[in-house]
């Protein structure tokens, strides 16, 4: 069932026959999940659900180890049984499908390095408070994801004329403000975005089966988009002729500024300093600064570093940049004097977008791409 633009409920296709999802009977114990996260060195946020971020010092490598990858959950983490799980493909398609994990692994697969960032990353820096988890800058990570292309599965099903959007449903559910019934985590993409964004139906992360907390057995991975698009514990893909107005589509993940409303989509350009760490004591003289930078719109063109409030200087881009993964960079700051020193880094992407001094506040605190800074003490 989907909510049409008018707010009524309507059914699409022959869902009853293909819907694979059954109420998950098991959920991961959030207390245990928090302990696992803290032991891996993650910063665990309060609240009922598992939400934790990675300290920037653990984000310097090309790939983020799975154990250190941030986790962002609206509801409890469902523990799904592969034997009962199916991916349903339904709605405005020529051939409805119900695919087992085994069947999905038999399809041609692609492996892609993709940077994923929570839309609320770093919202703690907005001076005017914005609601939501008060993330610092570490709700981001880069992993290698493997699975069939969403486009291939949709083409196999055959998209019928009149199709407008594709709705992706996760198996997790719970109550949200303003709705009496529990709802599932659901998001949509336009048919064009579903076919052209390069999205994967990923069953592996960093070469291993997806862990439960990252969406086992299958998640969507939409390169370039903020993380909310990458629906975990995916069970249903429904092609619809309507415009989807779900809670996580239309109430959340919308920029609300000055009476305007605009959906949250691509990750904004941003650089992160991974070395040195804030508070670190270093010998004065020369300091090696390292970091990563990414943008959902285009590859990174340049990263500039400012030390001790001095002029912006160009950093060196290093390593191979994956099309959808972050760019590593380094900068050698020389001739530094003792005392507390601020190091800042700022990225520009190949379509010319640069990080603003002050990202535009919005009520729900999305896309807070503040210029990252660390404070070190030089001896
Ligand atoms: N089913 C489901 N998918 C989801 C979410 C969720 O709560 N439920 N959270 C989304 C958000 S907001 C983000 S940022 C990413 C986080 O993915 P991760 O926990 O694997 O890092 O998953 C997205 N997919
Ligand atoms: Mo997110």
């Amino acid at each position: 069932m989907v909510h049409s633009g008018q707010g009524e409920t309507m059914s699409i296709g022959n869902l009853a026959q293909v819907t694979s999802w059954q109420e998950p009977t098991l959920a991961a114990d959030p207390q245990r999940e928090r302990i696992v996260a803290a032991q891996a060195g993650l910063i665990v946020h309060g609240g009922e659900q598992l939400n934790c971020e990675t300290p920037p010092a653990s984000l310097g490598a090309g790939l983020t180890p799975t154990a250190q990858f941030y986790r962002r959950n609206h509801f409890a983490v469902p523990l799904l049984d592969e034997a009962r799980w199916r991916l349903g493909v339904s709605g405005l398609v020529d051939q409805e499908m119900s695919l087992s994990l085994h069947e999905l692994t038999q399809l041609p697969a692609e492996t892609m390095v993709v940077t994923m960032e929570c839309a609320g990353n770093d919202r703690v820096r907005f001076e005017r408070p914005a609601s939501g988890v008060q993330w610092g800058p570490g709700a981001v990570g880069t992993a290698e994801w493997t699975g069939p292309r969403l486009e291939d599965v949709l083409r196999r099903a055959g998209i019928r004329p009149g199709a407008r959007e594709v709705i992706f449903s996760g198996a997790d559910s719970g109550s949200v403000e303003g709705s009496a019934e529990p709802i599932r985590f659901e998001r949509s993409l336009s048919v064009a975005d579903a076919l052209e964004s390069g999205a994967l139906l990923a069953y592996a992360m960093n070469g291993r089966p997806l862990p439960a907390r990252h969406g086992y057995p299958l998640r969507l991975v939409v390169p370039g988009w903020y993380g909310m698009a990458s629906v975990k514990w995916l069970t249903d893909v429904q092609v619809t002729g309507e415009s989807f107005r779900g809670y996580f589509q239309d109430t959340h993940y919308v920029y609300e500024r000055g009476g305007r409303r605009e959906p949250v989509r691509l990750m904004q350009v941003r650089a992160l300093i991974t070395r040195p760490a804030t508070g670190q004591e270093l010998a004065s003289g020369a300091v090696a600064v390292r970091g990563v930078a990414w943008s959902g719109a285009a590859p990174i063109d340049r990263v500039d570093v400012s030390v001790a409030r001095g002029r912006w200087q160009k950093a060196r881009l290093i390593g191979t940049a994956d099309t959808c993964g972050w760019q590593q960079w380094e900068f050698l700051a020389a001739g530094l004097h003792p005392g507390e020193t601020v190091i800042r880094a700022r990225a520009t992407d190949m379509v010319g977008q640069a990080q603003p001094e002050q990202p535009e506040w919005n009520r729900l605190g999305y896309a807070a791409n503040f210029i990252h800074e660390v404070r070190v003490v030089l001896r």
Side-chain angles (χ1 to χ4, degrees):
M1 307 284 257
V2 295
H3 293 285
S4 72
Q6 287 73 46
E8 309 122 357
T9 300
M10 52 175 287
S11 54
I12 42 172
N14 206 353
L15 271 182
Q17 286 171 18
V18 292
T19 295
S20 52
W21 177 70
Q22 293 158 337
E23 188 82 43
T25 47
L26 287 171
D29 172 7
Q31 188 49 27
R32 189 176 171 277
E33 283 291 314
R34 281 191 274 271
I35 292 168
V36 170
Q39 281 173 343
L42 299 184
I43 299 157
V44 181
H45 288 275
E48 203 183 325
Q49 307 311 341
L50 173 70
N51 284 303
C52 47
E53 64 179 287
T54 317
S58 302
L59 291 173
L63 296 181
T64 310
T66 304
Q68 267 126 40
F69 204 93
Y70 82 99
R71 350 244 211 240
R72 200 290 177 246
N73 298 296
H74 289 273
F75 305 124
V77 169
L79 300 174
L80 302 183
D81 175 3
E82 188 203 307
R84 282 164 57 218
W85 178 91
R86 291 287 182 283
L87 179 70
V89 182
S90 62
L92 286 178
V93 292
D94 297 329
Q95 181 63 57
E96 298 199 328
M97 300 193 289
S98 173
L99 301 163
S100 67
L101 185 59
H102 178 74
E103 285 166 329
L104 283 158
T105 59
Q106 299 308 297
L107 299 176
E110 198 168 310
T111 293
M112 267 174 99
V113 173
V114 175
T115 294
M116 190 180 291
E117 179 188 18
C118 184
N121 195 26
D122 222 9
R123 68 156 64 95
V124 70
R125 285 186 66 188
F126 277 122
E127 255 170 51
R128 180 173 168 194
S131 66
V133 177
Q134 293 302 299
W135 296 107
V140 60
T142 297
E144 191 179 80
W145 310 93
T146 304
R149 293 166 62 101
L150 171 65
E151 181 194 347
D152 289 351
V153 171
L154 288 173
R155 293 214 190 276
R156 263 165 216 254
I159 295 181
R160 293 225 306 256
R164 219 169 129 175
E165 294 191 3
V166 184
I167 306 171
F168 303 90
S169 306
D172 52 333
S173 65
S175 47
V176 296
E177 228 182 308
S179 128
E181 295 294 307
I183 62 160
R184 295 171 66 180
F185 186 89
E186 294 179 306
R187 292 273 314 171
S188 77
L189 292 173
S190 69
V191 168
D193 285 334
L195 295 176
E196 290 156 26
S197 59
L200 294 185
L201 295 171
Y203 47 70
M205 177 179 187
N206 291 335
R208 308 270 309 149
L210 276 181
R213 57 181 74 100
H214 293 293
Y216 179 86
L218 191 78
R219 82 178 297 170
L220 187 64
V221 173
V222 188
W225 286 58
Y226 278 117
M228 74 283 149
S230 296
V231 177
K232 302 191 270 187
W233 313 291
L234 188 63
T235 64
D236 292 281
V237 173
Q238 309 165 42
V239 181
T240 166
E242 301 293 316
S243 166
F244 178 62
R245 294 286 167 86
Y247 179 83
F248 296 103
Q249 191 77 22
D250 207 40
T251 304
H252 263 52
Y253 302 111
V254 173
Y255 297 112
E256 292 181 19
R257 8 169 115 111
R260 282 173 297 133
R261 299 185 88 243
E262 205 192 317
V264 173
R265 295 162 56 92
L266 300 184
M267 299 183 291
Q268 297 297 305
V269 63
R270 186 200 289 266
L272 204 57
I273 298 166
T274 59
R275 286 280 139 89
T278 263
Q280 215 172 311
E281 286 195 16
L282 302 161
S284 51
V287 173
V289 184
R290 291 186 65 124
V292 291
W294 67 95
S295 161
I300 291 298
D301 182 38
R302 59 185 291 158
V303 173
D304 295 280
V305 176
S306 156
V307 180
R309 307 278 172 206
R311 66 185 171 91
W312 289 106
Q313 288 174 273
K314 205 169 167 190
R316 197 162 71 88
L317 305 185
I318 53 173
T320 49
D322 299 285
T323 339
C324 303
W326 55 31
Q327 170 71 57
Q328 291 171 267
W329 54 267
E330 69 180 10
F331 178 76
L332 193 67
L336 300 179
H337 305 296
E340 196 188 65
T341 303
V342 180
I343 305 171
R344 309 178 79 210
R346 173 184 192 200
T348 305
D349 68 20
M350 288 200 182
V351 290
Q353 303 182 80
Q355 280 179 264
E357 272 296 337
Q358 195 62 49
E360 205 182 338
W361 182 88
N362 57 98
R363 191 176 68 87
L364 298 169
Y366 298 127
N369 62 336
F370 286 91
I371 294 171
H372 190 217
E373 54 179 62
V374 299
R375 282 159 194 277
V376 294
V377 178
L378 300 176
R379 293 266 171 248

